[in-house]
């Protein structure tokens, strides 16, 4: 989807959230909204206190924001209709991230996602996970990785991270005005109110990230500038998969100006310079 407007002010966003808090929904409506069966929607809503019953059908009605909170805690099967299918335009994301009328915590979250983090990884950060001197953030337990992962941060992300930390030396990095960790649900609600999009829209396509980032060796592309330890070079062509006696997945990578290929584990993560936007993006 395309971002059609980013003109909502923070005050208008608050009014929108309040309106959502007053909106009522039923299990049948939630089933259609979440694209799940009615029986599953009722299981999700089981812990939620109903407000009243629909005078026409007798169905129990719930506050919409309470229903969405229950679904976020237990998403289960189905596909959320409010999740973005396409990343936000980079200029729009930058404009929102630099809008000082919006809370620094949410803008820091957006900037971290622009650096390549998943929303869950960014929300899990402790203040101590960010190294301001090295300009990196370490996710100790990534959502979809087995090992800790390091993310290089842009200067804009570092500035917002400092603001979000507020001089604290420990504790959750992203907290609300009461000092409580920002949840995925509240992050998504604020993104919807301030930008009219799902929080997931702030994570860009890999080739549009501004800071250096990491990819698996099998995902390298021709022209990538690679750094791994003391090695630095430009990839001459995409990696070639090769057979290995141990059965492990291996790739051969050829660099410009060298006489032979380098053999790596296909899943080895290497740092590369940010790729520029391409015509298909």
């Amino acid at each position: 989807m395309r971002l059609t407007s980013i003109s909502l002010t923070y005050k208008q966003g608050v009014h929108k959230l309040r309106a959502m808090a007053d909106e009522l929904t039923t299990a049948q409506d939630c089933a259609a909204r979440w694209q799940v069966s009615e029986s599953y929607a009722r299981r999700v809503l089981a812990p939620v206190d109903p407000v009243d019953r629909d005078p026409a059908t007798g169905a129990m009605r719930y506050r919409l924001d309470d229903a969405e909170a229950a679904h976020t805690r237990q998403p289960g099967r189905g596909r959320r209709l409010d999740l973005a299918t396409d990343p936000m335009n980079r200029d729009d994301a930058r404009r929102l991230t630099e809008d000082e009328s919006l809370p620094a915590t949410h803008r820091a979250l957006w900037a971290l996602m622009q650096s390549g983090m998943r929303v869950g990884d960014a929300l899990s950060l402790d203040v101590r996970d960010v190294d301001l001197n090295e300009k990196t953030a370490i996710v100790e337990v990534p959502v979809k990785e087995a090992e800790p992962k390091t993310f290089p941060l842009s200067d804009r992300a570092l500035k917002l991270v400092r603001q979000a930390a507020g001089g604290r030396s420990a504790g959750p990095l992203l907290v609300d005005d009461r000092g409580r960790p920002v949840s995925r649900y509240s992050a998504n609600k604020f993104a919807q109110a301030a930008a009219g999009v799902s929080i997931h829209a702030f994570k860009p396509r890999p080739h549009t990230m501004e800071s250096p980032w990491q990819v698996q060796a099998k995902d390298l592309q021709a022209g990538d500038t690679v750094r791994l330890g003391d090695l630095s070079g430009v990839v001459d062509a995409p990696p070639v998969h090769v057979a290995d006696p141990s059965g492990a997945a291996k790739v051969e990578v050829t660099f410009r100006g060298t006489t032979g290929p380098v053999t790596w584990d296909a899943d080895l993560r290497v740092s590369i310079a940010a790729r520029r936007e391409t015509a298909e993006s």
Side-chain angles (χ1 to χ4, degrees):
M1 75 181 190
R2 292 183 60 84
L3 181 64
T4 58
S5 171
I6 58 169
S7 61
L8 281 176
T9 64
Y10 177 59
K11 188 173 182 180
Q12 289 172 324
V14 171
H15 288 320
K16 184 176 179 180
L17 293 180
R18 287 174 179 167
M20 183 177 177
D22 294 333
E23 187 176 346
L24 299 181
T25 187
T26 66
Q28 184 179 25
D29 293 337
C30 286
R33 181 183 183 88
W34 301 332
Q35 290 195 340
V36 298
S37 68
E38 286 188 39
S39 61
Y40 181 74
R42 291 191 184 95
R43 289 200 299 274
V44 173
L45 293 169
V48 181
D49 293 327
V51 175
D52 58 17
R53 289 186 178 273
D54 189 313
T57 66
M60 287 188 293
R61 296 195 298 185
Y62 309 83
R63 288 189 176 86
L64 179 58
D65 59 345
D66 291 343
E68 287 293 340
H71 185 243
T72 300
R73 288 193 295 269
Q74 186 183 356
R77 300 182 299 275
R79 179 175 60 86
R80 290 286 297 277
L81 297 178
D82 60 339
L83 297 185
T85 55
D86 293 311
M88 184 187 298
N89 176 280
R90 184 169 56 182
D91 292 336
D92 291 336
R94 179 178 298 172
R95 191 177 301 114
L96 283 163
T97 304
E98 294 176 350
D99 185 349
E100 295 185 358
S101 69
L102 301 175
T105 292
H106 289 279
R107 292 189 291 128
L109 170 60
W110 301 341
L112 290 168
M113 293 181 68
Q114 285 287 299
S115 297
M117 285 191 196
R118 297 178 182 275
V119 60
D121 290 341
L123 293 174
S124 73
L125 288 175
D126 187 278
V127 173
R128 293 165 292 188
D129 293 329
V130 180
D131 190 325
L132 297 177
N133 294 324
E134 294 294 327
K135 298 184 178 183
T136 59
I138 298 177
V139 179
E140 292 289 345
V141 186
V143 173
K144 292 194 175 183
E145 303 286 343
E147 301 292 334
K149 187 174 180 181
T150 300
F151 291 86
L153 302 180
S154 65
D155 290 339
R156 182 169 66 254
L158 286 168
K159 176 183 175 181
L160 289 168
V161 163
R162 287 192 186 96
Q163 292 181 26
R168 293 177 291 121
S169 59
L173 173 64
L174 302 175
V175 297
D176 61 19
D177 54 4
R178 297 183 183 180
R180 300 174 302 186
V182 174
S183 68
R184 182 189 296 264
Y185 175 64
S186 61
N188 191 57
K189 281 183 67 174
F190 188 85
Q192 292 277 6
V197 297
S198 161
I199 184 63
H200 301 277
F202 283 92
K203 189 173 186 299
R205 293 185 178 90
H207 62 265
T208 65
M209 294 178 191
E210 295 183 351
S211 55
W213 54 292
Q214 291 190 328
V215 299
Q216 292 180 325
K218 63 185 177 184
D219 296 326
L220 287 170
Q221 299 177 9
D224 283 341
T225 300
V226 177
R227 295 181 181 87
L228 181 65
D230 295 332
L231 172 67
S232 178
V234 178
V235 178
D236 189 52
V240 176
H241 288 263
V242 296
D244 186 83
S246 67
K250 298 280 187 179
V251 291
E252 286 185 350
V253 184
T254 304
F255 293 91
R256 293 176 187 171
T258 61
T259 57
V262 177
T263 301
W264 280 333
D265 291 336
D267 293 336
L268 176 70
R269 288 196 169 272
V270 295
S271 297
I272 68 172
R275 297 168 182 161
R276 298 305 174 205
E277 243 181 318
T278 58
E280 66 269 21
S281 68

